Amino acid sequence: MQTVISDINEESLALASKIIREGGLVAFPTETVYGLGADATNDDAVRAIYAAKGRPSDNPLIVHVPPEYDVSNLVYITESALKLTKAYLPGPLTMVYKSKGKVSPLVSCGLDTLAVRVPAHRGAARFLRAAGVPIAAPSANVSKHVSPVTARHVYDDLAGKIPLILDGGSSCGGIESTVLDVTGEVPVILRSGLVTFDMIKAVAGRCEYVHSTDGPVRSPGMKYKHYSPRAETAYFERDRLAEAVSEYKSALNRGLSPIFICDDKIAAQLEGMEYISLGSTSEQLAANVYTALRQAEKTHNFIIGVALKGDSQVDVGVMNRFVKAMGGKT
Ligand code: AMP
Ligand code: MG
């Protein structure tokens, strides 16, 4: 199959709509990462998403709809969810509701809940409108690889497996949406993102982080390996920079080509060594983390991560991805 990358215009949207109606897959931009979309009401189309990504079939998908869509068609909306919708949607917040069972059961892997997201990206909204059906979509990468934030990243992973990638430029947010369970009395963060704990608490009155060790897994995606670059990795806390530097030097001696990924403050202490700095503010760290991982794996075979420190709670989400990408061990 030939994979076309196209700007978002009348012609490409007509093609996207035709592909979706016929049960095919279309990659599209959002403000977080690129998504791999299919008709959420079509079992075969949803199955094709899992197949193209090599995604485990028990890791559920998020349904995407445009801003004017009435979400109560699909799910039971609670009072706190309504407040959060008014405050933060469209935007990088996915809410998990009790499902009305209107989409394919494969979307939620048989769970009685459904995750719904309303992206703020203009191109995403145009695609979702053209599609005319709720769109099930995970991130548009090969399962376990680094999430894509450009059309080119999607192409690198999925060329030959999907017919169309809608190109909406670089995703400005940089990390996936916050996933929030709103089925209970207290909203529970299943995955951290750009809509933070404090932002949710300010609107809903209460908020909790999921405790992944007790009880059944509430966000099935959390149990899988994620965001892995195609290189050896190592990870160090900020106060162990000296050890990170010896690791770099010993890697050079072993004939490897090492590179650091870090923030500006750490980069300033790495004279004479190769590094990619993600910047200094939390927004910069989030926006640059996936591009840096994809860049580093192309040119180097050993990536050394040093813990990142920005200026806000967004760091919880960025660090969650970064530590997983780096193998999570010091
Ligand atoms: P992604 O591959 O980045 O699109 O990941 C989607 C995330 O949303 C995964 O972590 C899923 O486990 C989570 N998710 C989707 N649907 C549900 C659901 N019904 N209940 C809990 N988590 C969900
Ligand atoms: Mg993903």
Side-chain angles (χ1 to χ4, degrees), residues 33 53 55 59-62 94 96-97 107-108 111 113-115 137-139 141 147 176 179 181 190-191 218-222 226-227:
V33 303
K53 285 193 58 144
R55 184 180 177 97
N59 187 5
L61 308 175
I62 296 170
T94 296
V96 175
Y97 305 86
V107 171
S108 291
L111 298 168
T113 53
L114 184 68
S139 50
N141 51 278
S147 300
E176 297 86 345
V179 178
D181 183 333
L190 304 179
R191 175 174 76 185
R218 287 173 76 176
S219 187
M222 295 194 319
H226 262 112
Y227 322 116

Coordinates of all heavy atoms in Angstrom, one line a residue, residues 33 53 55 59-62 94 96-97 107-108 111 113-115 137-139 141 147 176 179 181 190-191 218-222 226-227, ligand 1:
V33 N -0.4 14.5 20.2 CA 0.5 13.7 19.3 C -0.4 13.4 18.1 O -1.6 13.6 18.1 CB 1.0 12.4 20.0 CG1 1.8 12.8 21.2 CG2 -0.1 11.5 20.3
K53 N -0.7 -1.1 14.2 CA 0.3 -0.7 15.2 C 1.0 -1.9 15.9 O 2.0 -1.7 16.6 CB -0.5 0.0 16.4 CG -0.9 1.4 16.1 CD -1.3 2.1 17.4 CE -0.3 2.1 18.4 NZ -0.2 3.3 19.2
R55 N -0.6 -3.4 18.3 CA -1.0 -3.0 19.6 C -1.7 -4.2 20.3 O -2.5 -4.9 19.7 CB -2.0 -1.9 19.6 CG -2.4 -1.3 20.9 CD -3.4 -0.1 20.6 NE -4.0 0.5 21.8 CZ -3.6 1.6 22.4 NH1 -2.5 2.2 21.9 NH2 -4.2 2.2 23.4
N59 N -5.6 -3.2 25.2 CA -5.3 -1.9 25.5 C -6.2 -0.9 24.8 O -6.1 -0.7 23.6 CB -3.8 -1.6 25.1 CG -3.3 -0.2 25.6 OD1 -4.0 0.5 26.3 ND2 -2.1 0.2 25.2
P60 N -7.3 -0.4 25.4 CA -8.4 0.3 24.8 C -8.0 1.6 24.1 O -6.9 2.2 24.4 CB -9.3 0.6 25.9 CG -8.5 0.5 27.1 CD -7.4 -0.4 26.9
L61 N -8.9 2.0 23.2 CA -8.6 3.2 22.4 C -9.5 4.4 22.9 O -10.5 4.2 23.5 CB -9.0 2.9 20.9 CG -8.3 1.7 20.3 CD1 -8.8 1.4 18.9 CD2 -6.8 1.8 20.3
I62 N -9.1 5.6 22.5 CA -9.8 6.8 22.8 C -10.7 7.2 21.6 O -10.2 7.1 20.5 CB -8.9 7.9 23.2 CG1 -8.1 7.6 24.5 CG2 -9.7 9.3 23.4 CD1 -7.0 8.5 24.8
T94 N -8.7 13.8 28.1 CA -9.5 12.7 27.8 C -10.3 12.3 29.0 O -9.7 12.1 30.1 CB -8.7 11.5 27.3 OG1 -8.0 11.9 26.1 CG2 -9.6 10.3 27.0
V96 N -12.8 9.4 30.8 CA -13.3 8.0 30.8 C -14.7 8.0 31.5 O -14.8 8.3 32.7 CB -12.4 7.0 31.4 CG1 -13.0 5.6 31.5 CG2 -11.0 7.0 30.7
Y97 N -15.8 7.7 30.7 CA -17.1 7.7 31.2 C -17.7 6.3 31.2 O -17.2 5.4 30.6 CB -18.0 8.5 30.3 CG -17.6 9.9 30.0 CD1 -16.8 10.2 29.0 CD2 -18.2 11.0 30.7 CE1 -16.4 11.5 28.7 CE2 -17.9 12.3 30.4 CZ -17.0 12.5 29.4 OH -16.7 13.8 29.1
V107 N -13.3 -1.1 20.8 CA -12.7 0.1 21.2 C -12.3 0.1 22.6 O -11.2 0.5 23.0 CB -13.7 1.3 20.9 CG1 -13.1 2.6 21.5 CG2 -14.0 1.5 19.5
S108 N -13.2 -0.4 23.5 CA -12.9 -0.4 25.0 C -12.5 -1.8 25.4 O -12.4 -2.0 26.6 CB -14.1 0.1 25.8 OG -14.3 1.4 25.6
L111 N -14.6 -3.4 28.1 CA -14.9 -2.6 29.3 C -16.2 -1.9 29.2 O -16.7 -1.7 28.1 CB -13.8 -1.6 29.6 CG -12.4 -2.0 29.8 CD1 -11.4 -0.8 29.8 CD2 -12.2 -2.7 31.2
T113 N -16.7 1.1 30.1 CA -16.4 2.5 30.0 C -16.0 2.9 28.6 O -15.6 2.0 27.8 CB -15.2 2.8 31.0 OG1 -14.2 1.9 30.7 CG2 -15.7 2.6 32.5
L114 N -16.0 4.2 28.4 CA -15.5 4.7 27.1 C -14.7 6.0 27.3 O -15.2 6.9 28.0 CB -16.6 4.9 26.1 CG -16.2 5.4 24.7 CD1 -15.6 4.2 23.9 CD2 -17.5 5.8 23.9
A115 N -13.5 6.1 26.7 CA -12.7 7.3 26.8 C -13.0 8.2 25.6 O -13.0 7.7 24.5 CB -11.2 6.9 26.8
A137 N -9.0 6.3 18.1 CA -7.6 6.5 17.7 C -6.7 6.4 18.9 O -6.8 7.1 19.9 CB -7.5 7.9 17.0
P138 N -5.6 5.6 18.7 CA -4.5 5.7 19.6 C -3.4 6.6 18.9 O -3.7 7.1 17.9 CB -4.0 4.2 19.6 CG -4.3 3.7 18.2 CD -5.5 4.5 17.7
S139 N -2.2 6.7 19.6 CA -1.2 7.4 18.9 C -0.7 6.7 17.7 O -0.7 5.4 17.6 CB 0.0 7.6 19.9 OG 0.3 6.4 20.5
N141 N 1.9 5.6 16.2 CA 3.2 5.0 16.1 C 3.1 3.4 16.2 O 2.0 2.9 16.5 CB 4.1 5.4 17.3 CG 3.3 5.2 18.7 OD1 2.5 6.0 19.0 ND2 3.6 4.1 19.3
S147 N 6.0 8.2 20.6 CA 4.9 8.8 20.0 C 5.3 9.8 18.9 O 6.3 10.4 19.1 CB 4.0 9.4 21.0 OG 3.5 8.5 22.0
E176 N 0.9 13.1 25.2 CA -0.5 12.6 25.1 C -1.3 13.3 26.1 O -0.9 13.8 27.2 CB -0.6 11.1 25.3 CG 0.2 10.3 24.2 CD 1.6 10.1 24.6 OE1 2.1 10.7 25.5 OE2 2.2 9.2 23.9
V179 N -5.4 11.5 30.9 CA -6.6 10.6 30.9 C -7.2 10.6 32.3 O -6.5 10.3 33.3 CB -6.3 9.1 30.5 CG1 -7.5 8.2 30.5 CG2 -5.7 9.1 29.1
D181 N -10.4 9.4 34.8 CA -11.6 8.6 35.0 C -12.6 9.5 35.8 O -12.4 9.9 36.9 CB -11.2 7.4 35.9 CG -12.3 6.4 36.1 OD1 -13.5 6.9 36.1 OD2 -12.1 5.2 36.3
L190 N -5.6 8.8 35.3 CA -5.0 7.5 34.9 C -3.7 7.7 34.2 O -2.8 6.8 34.2 CB -6.0 6.8 34.0 CG -7.4 6.5 34.6 CD1 -8.3 5.8 33.6 CD2 -7.3 5.7 35.9
R191 N -3.6 8.9 33.5 CA -2.3 9.2 32.8 C -2.1 10.7 32.9 O -3.1 11.5 32.6 CB -2.4 8.8 31.3 CG -1.2 9.2 30.5 CD -1.3 8.6 29.1 NE -2.2 9.4 28.3 CZ -2.5 9.0 27.0 NH1 -2.0 7.9 26.5 NH2 -3.4 9.7 26.3
R218 N -6.8 0.1 36.1 CA -7.9 0.9 35.6 C -7.6 1.5 34.2 O -8.5 1.9 33.5 CB -8.2 2.0 36.6 CG -8.9 1.4 37.8 CD -9.1 2.4 38.9 NE -10.1 3.4 38.6 CZ -10.5 4.3 39.5 NH1 -9.9 4.4 40.6 NH2 -11.5 5.1 39.2
S219 N -6.4 1.7 33.9 CA -6.0 2.2 32.5 C -5.1 1.1 31.9 O -3.9 1.1 32.2 CB -5.3 3.5 32.6 OG -5.2 4.0 31.3
P220 N -5.7 0.2 31.2 CA -4.9 -0.9 30.7 C -3.6 -0.6 30.1 O -2.6 -1.3 30.2 CB -5.8 -1.6 29.7 CG -7.2 -1.2 30.1 CD -7.0 0.2 30.7
G221 N -3.5 0.6 29.4 CA -2.3 1.0 28.8 C -1.1 1.1 29.7 O 0.1 0.9 29.3
M222 N -1.4 1.3 31.0 CA -0.3 1.6 31.9 C 0.6 0.3 32.2 O 1.7 0.5 32.6 CB -0.8 2.0 33.3 CG -1.5 3.4 33.2 SD -1.9 4.1 34.8 CE -2.4 2.7 35.7
H226 N 6.5 1.4 26.9 CA 6.1 2.5 26.1 C 7.2 3.4 25.7 O 8.2 3.4 26.4 CB 5.2 3.4 27.0 CG 3.7 3.2 26.8 ND1 2.9 2.7 27.8 CD2 2.9 3.5 25.7 CE1 1.7 2.6 27.3 NE2 1.6 3.1 26.1
Y227 N 7.0 4.1 24.7 CA 7.9 5.3 24.3 C 9.4 4.9 24.1 O 10.3 5.7 24.4 CB 7.8 6.4 25.4 CG 6.5 6.6 26.0 CD1 6.2 6.3 27.4 CD2 5.4 7.1 25.2 CE1 5.0 6.5 27.9 CE2 4.2 7.3 25.8 CZ 3.9 7.0 27.1 OH 2.7 7.2 27.7
Ligands
AMP1 P1 -2.8 5.9 23.4 O1 -2.2 4.7 22.9 O2 -1.7 6.9 23.6 O3 -3.9 6.4 22.6 O4 -3.3 5.5 24.8 C1 -4.7 5.6 25.2 C2 -4.7 5.5 26.7 O5 -6.0 5.6 27.2 C3 -4.2 4.1 27.2 O6 -3.4 4.4 28.3 C4 -5.5 3.4 27.6 O7 -5.2 2.4 28.5 C5 -6.4 4.5 28.0 N1 -7.8 4.2 27.9 C6 -8.5 4.2 26.8 N2 -9.8 3.8 27.0 C7 -9.9 3.6 28.3 C8 -10.9 3.1 29.2 N3 -12.1 2.9 28.7 N4 -10.6 3.0 30.5 C9 -9.4 3.3 31.0 N5 -8.4 3.7 30.2 C10 -8.6 3.8 28.9

